[in-house]
Amino acid sequence: MVDTDERAAVAERAARAGARVANDRFRSDIDVETKGEDDVVTEADRAAQRTVIEAIRETFPDDAVVGEEEDERKTVPEAGAAWVIDPIDGTNNYVRDIRVWGTAVAAVVDGEPVAAATVAPALGDVYTADADGAYRNGEPMRVSDVSDPRRATVDPTLWWDFDSRDEYAAACEAIVRRFSDLRRLGAAQVVLPTVAAGGLEGTLSNLRANPWDSVAGVFMVRQAGGKATDLEGNRWRHDSTGLVVSNGDLHDEVLDAARAIEGLA
């Protein structure tokens, strides 16, 4: 039997530990490397990930770890217990001295999240979710009750490569034509808890999300009363194509906007 309470406690403890390491280096003269044309990494990412893993393995030494950096596995196992971690989600913000970034940790069992934590130290926020609900700084959080698209704000999340900027433009157009406003925070694991807390009505992408960018936050949204699907409207999983997340009341509209990116709506 899985002790979800213990996993929730470890997720928060590990996320806090990693976030402290990252925050100690925030707005410092840190070297920035590139992993691709538009993806960056720093030693803070690697140090924070090592700290998160150490904190997890103090209690769960044999569990699999899925992590963005270094040689950790990159896919979520379908069976058994695992941890999905992003040491600094929003590294592009981090290296520009923008406060919107966080350390995310999710506990997964048989492919499904059972607990999660995202610590955004520069914002002063700690988001968590367990079997009973979702919380911001220890207080229960719920998704927005907005049901009128003209009052809704939606974030085009994830990142479109330079050769997919037509899709990026289509995502922005789909949002501004359907909803009151658009926000792009630049850190999916901050965006998703913000939907869970009611600050946004939705977030969307036609892309396949990396598990470290999505699993923790999607669990928080669901535990706060929201909804997450793929582009077909099916329940979102860590290997789904498309990430469509909403407060529930506006899910059809957010899904329609996501499908419009590729001309499917």
Side-chain angles (χ1 to χ4, degrees), residues 227-250:
K227 186 173 182 178
T229 70
D230 63 13
L231 283 179
E232 301 302 318
N234 300 315
R235 187 177 187 275
W236 186 87
R237 283 173 34 92
H238 58 81
D239 55 358
S240 292
T241 297
L243 177 61
V244 184
V245 175
S246 77
N247 64 354
D249 290 336
L250 287 170

Side-chain angles (χ1 to χ4, degrees), residues 154-158 160 175 179 191-192 195 201-209 214 217-218 221-222 226-237 240-248 250-261 264:
V154 174
D155 183 300
T157 198
L158 305 182
W160 287 266
I175 290 171
F179 303 103
V191 170
L192 290 162
V195 175
E201 277 65 53
T203 186
L204 61 83
S205 179
N206 63 317
L207 305 175
R208 175 173 290 186
S214 52
V218 167
V221 170
R222 287 177 172 155
K227 186 173 182 178
T229 70
D230 63 13
L231 283 179
E232 301 302 318
N234 300 315
R235 187 177 187 275
W236 186 87
R237 283 173 34 92
S240 292
T241 297
L243 177 61
V244 184
V245 175
S246 77
N247 64 354
L250 287 170
H251 199 79
D252 288 346
E253 290 84 352
V254 179
L255 178 59
D256 184 68
R259 288 174 57 81
I261 298 171
L264 299 175

Side-chain angles (χ1 to χ4, degrees), residues 72-97:
E72 301 303 328
R73 64 177 296 154
K74 305 305 177 187
T75 58
V76 177
E78 291 297 330
W83 298 82
V84 184
I85 63 178
D86 194 337
I88 302 177
D89 186 65
T91 304
N92 277 297
N93 285 343
Y94 182 90
V95 300
R96 291 175 177 269
D97 296 344

Side-chain angles (χ1 to χ4, degrees), residues 154-223:
V154 174
D155 183 300
T157 198
L158 305 182
W159 183 252
W160 287 266
D161 290 334
F162 282 102
D163 59 359
S164 300
R165 288 308 167 92
D166 55 340
E167 295 182 10
Y168 189 176
C172 294
E173 181 178 6
I175 290 171
V176 299
R177 288 189 179 278
R178 289 167 174 80
F179 303 103
S180 172
D181 206 353
L182 174 152
R183 295 284 186 279
R184 181 168 171 80
L185 302 185
Q189 292 283 32
V190 177
V191 170
L192 290 162
T194 302
V195 175
L200 294 166
E201 277 65 53
T203 186
L204 61 83
S205 179
N206 63 317
L207 305 175
R208 175 173 290 186
N210 292 316
W212 47 83
D213 290 329
S214 52
V215 172
V218 167
F219 183 65
M220 292 177 193
V221 170
R222 287 177 172 155
Q223 294 303 90

Side-chain angles (χ1 to χ4, degrees), residues 7 63-66 73 76-77 79-84 106-110:
R7 290 179 183 275
D63 286 0
V65 173
V66 179
R73 64 177 296 154
V76 177
W83 298 82
V84 184
V108 176
V109 177
D110 296 336

